[in-house]
Amino acid sequence: MRCGVLIPAYEPGEALPALTRALMDEGVPVVVVNDGSATGLEYFERIRAQGAVVLEHKENLGKGRALKTGLAWMAEQGYEGVVTADADGQHSLEDILRVARALASGSRRLVLGIRDVSRMPNRSRTGNRLTRTLFRLLYGIKLQDTQTGLRGIPLTGENRSGLLSLTGERYEYEMEMLIEAGELFPAGIQELEIETIYLEDSDTSSHFRPLADGARIYSVLFRHFPRFFLSSILAFLVDYSLFNLLYYLLFHRSVPAAVLARVVSAGVNYTVNRKLVFGSSYHLLGYVKICLVILLAGSGLMYLLVDCLSLPAFLVKPLVDCGLYVLSFAAQNRMAQ
């Protein structure tokens, strides 16, 4: 397998030419994408002089776009595998080579360099743990490090167009790749433990913006939720309106009106979710199972908290419903993957 290393770089420091030199001394081809840097241009000249390929963005387009640019160029050149590494010195030569060897084994799995979360700075550790917990809850995939930039990506005829068409132009692109990993990398994901390196030198600091880029990542994680919420509102309106029509105009009894209204609203909810929220992988049997579990859980919790513990029903009911609504979304989101 022909493999190379791809490094997206924005206003890099001394660490970048040192890393490319070390990689090339090992015989590893290196492609660097200058993502519209205004400073550090001398480092790109040094990289060119070393023999590395430097691709240029005229303006800063984001890490995701830089990765797409590099992946597209390397696919055109016949590379069958690409190891992505960061430009800030936080990936050691040894770890990059280990990921490259795992990728070159021919397993066609996505290889992730996994850091020791317990050795991260507090802010990074908290964010990483929250993100991987939400990722597992929403997509059913257990990973130790969802934010690693050291990845071994197999390039095949089946996944090249998918990799390049993923949404996300900045850091969220890497999260999108993990969400779609089942489709892009049917052989699975391999995790390799790597050294956890955090450098305080401003010359090698990350360009990750916690608020703006964090919001982009979480918007990808919860990309289905806005439409799911609107679908739920629509189902509620159908249920409430139909109940009143059936009760006052036809049955004059609450139980048959409520049951029929709920069946119709559930059918509307399922149809909208399948067509407009989750897609064709969303299926009726799974939806029915989730609805039954939520119904039983809600009834059980209300009985325990209100009937047994004598807590006020008007407070308990919305809390139980909100909690189960979140769990329902997570379960339906996982079912649709």
Side-chain angles (χ1 to χ4, degrees), residues 34-37 57-62:
N34 174 11
D35 188 27
S37 301
H57 286 169
K58 292 183 179 180
E59 58 183 302
N60 179 235
L61 300 178

Side-chain angles (χ1 to χ4, degrees), residues 156-208:
T156 67
E158 291 75 26
N159 73 2
R160 290 175 187 173
S161 61
L163 284 166
L164 299 179
S165 62
L166 290 176
T167 59
E169 301 296 283
R170 296 186 181 276
Y171 289 93
E172 72 274 14
Y173 173 76
E174 292 173 306
M175 180 60 70
E176 190 74 44
M177 186 187 299
L178 295 181
I179 291 173
E180 299 297 334
E183 190 73 25
L184 295 170
F185 313 105
I189 299 174
Q190 177 182 358
E191 296 179 288
L192 288 180
E193 292 187 5
I194 62 173
E195 188 177 2
T196 306
I197 304 173
Y198 276 83
L199 302 175
E200 299 300 330
D201 188 346
S202 61
D203 210 30
T204 57
S205 62
S206 171
H207 294 284
F208 182 83

Side-chain angles (χ1 to χ4, degrees), residues 114-158:
I114 302 302
R115 299 164 295 178
D116 183 352
V117 177
S118 66
R119 299 186 61 187
M120 294 179 179
N122 288 335
R123 184 179 66 180
S124 299
R125 180 169 61 248
T126 301
N128 196 293
R129 284 174 172 166
L130 174 61
T131 303
R132 71 179 183 181
T133 299
L134 290 173
F135 182 75
R136 183 180 182 183
L137 177 67
L138 293 171
Y139 297 96
I141 304 173
K142 183 179 180 181
L143 296 175
Q144 296 182 53
D145 186 357
T146 56
Q147 295 171 294
T148 178
L150 181 54
R151 304 181 178 197
I153 303 172
L155 290 178
T156 67
E158 291 75 26

Side-chain angles (χ1 to χ4, degrees), residues 19-292:
L19 177 60
T20 57
R21 177 75 275 168
L23 286 167
M24 297 188 71
D25 285 346
E26 294 289 336
V28 179
V30 179
V31 176
V32 176
V33 180
N34 174 11
D35 188 27
S37 301
T39 63
L41 300 181
E42 68 275 14
Y43 298 118
F44 294 108
E45 293 304 319
R46 287 170 55 181
I47 292 167
R48 283 194 183 92
Q50 293 170 358
V53 173
V54 178
L55 307 177
E56 301 277 354
H57 286 169
K58 292 183 179 180
E59 58 183 302
N60 179 235
L61 300 178
K63 184 180 184 182
R65 175 49 57 184
L67 289 171
K68 293 176 189 177
T69 296
L71 288 170
W73 187 90
M74 296 178 80
E76 290 175 358
Q77 302 303 311
Y79 284 89
E80 299 170 283
V82 174
V83 176
T84 63
D86 293 342
D88 56 8
Q90 295 191 10
H91 298 142
S92 70
L93 172 65
E94 292 76 15
D95 286 332
I96 295 173
L97 294 177
R98 286 180 63 228
V99 171
R101 286 193 293 269
L103 179 62
S105 68
S107 65
R108 295 296 182 183
R109 290 180 292 180
L110 173 66
V111 183
L112 300 179
I114 302 302
R115 299 164 295 178
D116 183 352
V117 177
S118 66
R119 299 186 61 187
M120 294 179 179
N122 288 335
R123 184 179 66 180
S124 299
R125 180 169 61 248
T126 301
N128 196 293
R129 284 174 172 166
L130 174 61
T131 303
R132 71 179 183 181
T133 299
L134 290 173
F135 182 75
R136 183 180 182 183
L137 177 67
L138 293 171
Y139 297 96
I141 304 173
K142 183 179 180 181
L143 296 175
Q144 296 182 53
D145 186 357
T146 56
Q147 295 171 294
T148 178
L150 181 54
R151 304 181 178 197
I153 303 172
L155 290 178
T156 67
E158 291 75 26
N159 73 2
R160 290 175 187 173
S161 61
L163 284 166
L164 299 179
S165 62
L166 290 176
T167 59
E169 301 296 283
R170 296 186 181 276
Y171 289 93
E172 72 274 14
Y173 173 76
E174 292 173 306
M175 180 60 70
E176 190 74 44
M177 186 187 299
L178 295 181
I179 291 173
E180 299 297 334
E183 190 73 25
L184 295 170
F185 313 105
I189 299 174
Q190 177 182 358
E191 296 179 288
L192 288 180
E193 292 187 5
I194 62 173
E195 188 177 2
T196 306
I197 304 173
Y198 276 83
L199 302 175
E200 299 300 330
D201 188 346
S202 61
D203 210 30
T204 57
S205 62
S206 171
H207 294 284
F208 182 83
R209 300 167 298 173
L211 292 179
D213 292 319
R216 289 175 179 269
I217 290 172
Y218 287 115
S219 70
V220 169
L221 279 174
F222 289 95
R223 60 185 176 181
H224 291 138
F225 186 76
R227 284 176 291 177
F228 179 82
F229 179 74
L230 293 176
S231 175
S232 301
I233 294 295
L234 175 62
F236 166 76
L237 293 175
V238 170
D239 182 77
Y240 182 74
S241 301
L242 188 57
F243 169 80
N244 283 282
L245 288 173
L246 292 172
Y247 179 79
Y248 288 106
L249 298 180
L250 186 61
F251 295 116
H252 302 291
R253 296 171 60 191
S254 63
V255 172
V259 170
L260 186 56
R262 183 57 55 89
V263 169
V264 173
S265 66
V268 170
N269 186 235
Y270 168 76
T271 302
V272 173
N273 285 350
R274 180 177 171 84
K275 297 291 185 181
L276 301 178
V277 180
F278 296 114
S280 60
S281 57
Y282 190 80
H283 52 88
L284 180 59
L285 180 59
Y287 176 79
V288 171
K289 288 180 178 179
I290 292 170
C291 288
L292 289 175

